[in-house]
Amino acid sequence: MCIFIKKIISLYVLFNSCKIETNDYFYKLQALIFIKLITLNIKKKQHLTVPKVIIYIGKILQFFSVKLTTLYLARLFTTPIKYKTPKRELEMFNNSIQKRILIPDVNKEIVVYQYGKSDKKVLLVHGWSGRGTQLVKFADALVKEGFSTISFDAPAHGKSLGNSTIMTEFIASILEVDKKFGPFEAAVGHSLGGMVLLNAIKKGLKINRLTIIGSGDKVKDILDEFVSKLELRSEFSSHLQQHFEKKYNEPMENYSAHRAAKTVEIPVLVIHDENDYEVPVTTSINIHKHLKKGKLLITQHLGHRKILGNPFVIEKTVEFIKN
């Protein structure tokens, strides 16, 4: 217990030096999880690690209360990190037309970025803890080819307000952006952005082509891994799923990417790196199996985020959209 107290003191010091701008200490706590989440060992294999203090808190709660532990997990699961905009994205940020719009279905505002001048529009969708300018390399390449791009900071991401969100709010945002800024020739989504675009098409989004990069697939697998990384009993994955299903009155598995893929009629380019240690390549292989007009491109040694700046991946995406 003495070690645990020392961890709390250390965490307090980290809070006060944390560069993330918020007064919500729980939000900073969750942010620290993901800031430290991914490390690279000398063998160039990524390992997901969670700070021990976060694990200790979960284990203590687990001992006393299933309900409190589930609420703790739910808060962690729905709280993204708002990173500062990197220098490589500043040109897109500064040269885009930015607007705040309300998403009526979730009663939240988001920031939308209009980049380039063309009636041929492509929608770009970031992943969890991403930003509307994160796919800047794709945006630049598309603008050079005569397209314009529309992207947005999802609820609780980037410059959009709030600290918490969930997948359904991403989908609602896409559908509202389509109403206000569409129609779109195509869309590109990274990670969770790929999952939500497949689900948005299922719910009525009309585009001609879709590219998904490093997309997740089965919601249950995501929950299982989340609970496993926190070293809690596996049953808490089910508790967490039941919590969300009761709250939103809908089965979470309805949003698994491969289920949505079955309903997609348009051509879809599925890109994934076999060395992605955040989202395994098997997710995209499974999604591809359920697509009617799918094309699978597997890369190597690019991981989950480096892939967004790879010239070959960008070239293949632009070619796919143009043709």
Side-chain angles (χ1 to χ4, degrees):
M1 186 58 70
C2 195
I3 294 174
F4 177 73
I5 292 172
K6 288 180 180 178
K7 290 284 187 179
I8 294 294
I9 293 171
S10 298
L11 193 61
Y12 176 80
V13 174
L14 282 171
F15 279 165
N16 287 287
S17 63
C18 187
K19 293 182 179 180
I20 298 169
E21 297 179 359
T22 178
N23 292 322
D24 187 336
Y25 272 66
F26 191 94
Y27 176 62
K28 285 188 177 183
L29 174 64
Q30 195 273 348
L32 289 170
I33 296 175
F34 291 98
I35 288 171
K36 294 186 175 183
L37 190 61
I38 301 165
T39 58
L40 190 64
N41 71 4
I42 57 175
K43 295 180 180 180
K44 296 184 179 179
K45 292 183 179 179
Q46 290 172 322
H47 293 276
L48 299 178
T49 59
V50 178
K52 291 296 183 182
V53 64
I54 304 303
I55 295 173
Y56 292 157
I57 292 171
K59 286 181 177 294
I60 290 170
L61 290 174
Q62 175 183 249
F63 179 77
F64 288 106
S65 170
V66 169
K67 183 177 180 180
L68 285 177
T69 307
T70 302
L71 292 174
Y72 173 71
L73 291 174
R75 182 67 186 270
L76 292 177
F77 191 79
T78 58
T79 308
I81 308 164
K82 291 185 179 183
Y83 293 106
K84 289 185 176 180
T85 305
K87 290 182 179 180
R88 64 180 176 273
E89 298 173 21
L90 288 178
E91 184 176 349
M92 180 179 177
F93 181 84
N94 292 328
N95 293 328
S96 61
I97 299 172
Q98 300 174 26
K99 297 181 179 178
R100 285 190 179 273
I101 67 169
L102 177 69
I103 311 302
D105 287 352
V106 297
N107 195 31
K108 292 185 178 182
E109 285 189 349
I110 62 170
V111 176
V112 179
Y113 302 86
Q114 297 174 265
Y115 190 58
K117 297 179 180 179
S118 174
D119 291 333
K120 297 191 300 179
K121 303 173 186 176
V122 178
L123 177 64
L124 307 178
V125 183
H126 65 77
W128 191 254
S129 292
R131 303 160 300 282
T133 54
Q134 192 171 15
L135 276 68
V136 58
K137 297 294 185 181
F138 292 87
D140 285 338
L142 287 164
V143 168
K144 286 179 182 178
E145 292 295 330
F147 294 91
S148 63
T149 67
I150 301 292
S151 57
F152 61 92
D153 295 333
H157 287 73
K159 304 301 180 183
S160 295
L161 301 177
N163 287 339
S164 65
T165 188
I166 199 165
M167 184 178 180
T168 51
E169 294 184 353
F170 272 69
I171 298 169
S173 298
I174 289 172
L175 297 176
E176 190 63 26
V177 168
D178 182 48
K179 288 179 186 177
K180 287 184 165 60
F181 298 93
F184 297 104
E185 297 286 328
V188 181
H190 174 239
S191 196
L192 178 62
M195 290 184 72
V196 295
L197 277 167
L198 287 167
N199 277 279
I201 292 172
K202 180 180 176 182
K203 290 181 176 291
L205 175 67
K206 303 295 183 185
I207 55 176
N208 298 321
R209 291 190 170 230
L210 170 65
T211 298
I212 60 174
I213 304 168
S215 175
D217 181 18
K218 299 176 182 178
V219 174
K220 187 177 187 308
D221 287 350
I222 295 170
L223 294 175
D224 286 347
E225 183 172 3
F226 178 72
V227 170
S228 175
K229 293 301 178 186
L230 290 169
E231 298 182 17
L232 297 176
R233 297 194 301 269
S234 59
E235 68 191 62
F236 279 100
S237 175
S238 296
H239 291 314
L240 188 57
Q241 182 170 340
Q242 290 165 12
H243 167 81
F244 286 126
E245 290 179 348
K246 182 178 180 180
K247 183 174 181 178
Y248 296 102
N249 196 31
E250 187 174 11
M252 290 188 74
E253 279 301 318
N254 285 354
Y255 293 93
S256 290
H258 73 278
R259 290 196 179 191
K262 294 177 183 179
T263 69
V264 175
E265 303 288 342
I266 63 171
V268 181
L269 175 60
V270 182
I271 305 175
H272 211 118
D273 192 79
E274 73 174 25
N275 303 111
D276 186 334
Y277 296 100
E278 292 185 53
V279 182
V281 68
T282 51
T283 62
S284 283
I285 292 172
N286 190 50
I287 292 169
H288 175 254
K289 286 179 181 178
H290 290 85
L291 288 165
K292 297 178 177 67
K293 299 178 182 178
K295 181 179 180 181
L296 181 63
L297 172 62
I298 297 177
T299 60
Q300 294 179 322
H301 309 303
L302 296 177
H304 192 64
R305 291 179 179 80
K306 187 178 178 182
I307 196 170
L308 295 180
N310 182 261
F312 175 74
V313 171
I314 295 167
E315 178 186 350
K316 288 299 179 183
T317 298
V318 174
E319 283 180 4
F320 179 73
I321 291 173
K322 285 172 61 179
N323 298 327

